[in-house]
Amino acid sequence: MMIYLSLDTTSEAYESGRALGFLLGAAVLMLVIWFATASWRRVAALPPGPAADGHTAALRVRRRRTVLIILGLLGAGAVVSAVLGYGPEPRAAETAEAASGPVEADAAPTDPRTITPPAALDGYRLMTDEETASYREAEAVRLPRGRTWYYDRDDDGRADGILHIDTTQWSQKLAAEKRRDSITQEFRNFFAGARSSDSAEFPAGPLGGRLACGHYGNNPAMSICAWSDAGTLGTFAQNGVAELSEAAGATLDFRNASDRRT
């Protein structure tokens, strides 16, 4: 699978840096205003006299107070904007996962989920080992993560659907990535690697998480979908499926049929 790492704009570090940068910019602006109004705040003295001295002092106080009020409002607005704008997305590992049914505490199995793709679904047929020998050779060269299954839809012996699933049960590297990245960042990296610029999200179904689809290499005849939750990153590529909603429906069917949770 192609991997493309971009700046994670959903992380706490990025949001903290953005907020700090906003506050520093506001502080610089406040300093500029303070020094720029220095001569205006000093007020040129009027001709000598008790009344003139009192009037000049009062005017200086008023102008100084005016500038301080403006700076106070500006500072308060900057702080409020920085706080309200701070919204890092939870990491993928923190995503709530749904179970397929209730689990009794004393009867919960040690491994409550299994990944078993269907032999046939939505017109797709799981290809045999003999049929996929060449695909497996290519996999070995790429050193893929997770597991891949190939499906034929028109009985021509070529893969029309490619299902790939990786889980934190199988991969410590995926577990580390899910602790580091949000699902938004996972999708951003995945679709950038797939050279897809038209990805859109669709309902993720009863297992929770999120699901998105786009066209691989912006080829309208080839769709590719990805789903993610706290413990899984799966994809389903379909050749000859142009409508993304149709691709999302088939992907959801394969996800629900493959990922069994108790």
Side-chain angles (χ1 to χ4, degrees):
M1 295 180 66
M2 300 181 67
I3 298 176
Y4 180 91
L5 296 178
S6 60
L7 179 65
D8 187 356
T9 58
T10 68
S11 67
E12 291 185 9
Y14 179 89
E15 284 292 298
S16 297
R18 184 198 61 78
L20 180 59
F22 187 82
L23 292 175
L24 288 176
V28 170
L29 178 60
M30 292 167 66
L31 286 174
V32 169
I33 292 175
W34 178 256
F35 287 110
T37 60
S39 59
W40 179 76
R41 285 183 281 109
R42 281 195 294 269
V43 183
L46 297 176
D53 291 341
H55 178 76
T56 300
L59 185 57
R60 286 174 178 170
V61 170
R62 286 198 302 273
R63 290 188 176 183
R64 180 185 177 88
R65 184 182 298 120
T66 298
V67 173
L68 288 176
I69 290 174
I70 292 174
L71 294 180
L73 291 174
L74 181 61
V79 171
V80 170
S81 296
V83 171
L84 294 180
Y86 182 80
E89 183 180 325
R91 303 300 87 185
E94 301 168 0
T95 303
E97 292 192 70
S100 58
V103 178
E104 297 295 336
D106 58 353
T110 57
D111 186 1
R113 68 183 297 202
T114 58
I115 303 296
T116 308
L121 184 66
D122 292 349
Y124 288 94
R125 173 188 60 83
L126 183 63
M127 299 174 69
T128 65
D129 291 339
E130 292 76 11
E131 291 175 308
T132 60
S134 60
Y135 297 121
R136 300 298 178 188
E137 291 177 3
E139 278 185 39
V141 173
R142 295 196 304 270
L143 298 176
R145 289 165 46 185
R147 302 175 187 176
T148 305
W149 296 266
Y150 298 90
Y151 287 84
D152 188 4
R153 187 176 53 201
D154 52 15
D155 294 324
D156 63 354
R158 292 181 295 181
D160 298 305
I162 303 176
L163 177 67
H164 181 88
I165 301 176
D166 195 9
T167 77
T168 54
Q169 293 172 292
W170 303 337
S171 172
Q172 290 299 315
K173 187 172 183 180
L174 178 65
E177 290 174 355
K178 284 189 172 291
R179 290 191 297 269
R180 181 194 67 203
D181 297 334
S182 65
I183 292 181
T184 294
Q185 182 66 11
E186 286 183 323
F187 284 174
R188 182 182 295 127
N189 290 338
F190 175 76
F191 287 107
R195 302 189 303 278
S196 174
S197 62
D198 61 351
S199 62
E201 293 207 26
F202 297 88
L207 293 179
R210 287 162 58 185
L211 167 69
C213 298
H215 290 105
Y216 186 86
N218 292 321
N219 181 349
M222 187 170 186
S223 62
I224 187 163
C225 299
W227 73 87
S228 176
D229 55 39
T232 311
L233 180 61
T235 67
F236 189 45
Q238 302 172 73
N239 188 29
V241 178
E243 183 59 47
L244 293 183
S245 60
E246 179 184 350
T251 299
L252 186 58
D253 288 344
F254 270 88
R255 180 194 184 192
N256 293 336
S258 302
D259 194 338
R260 295 298 183 181
R261 311 185 190 192
T262 56

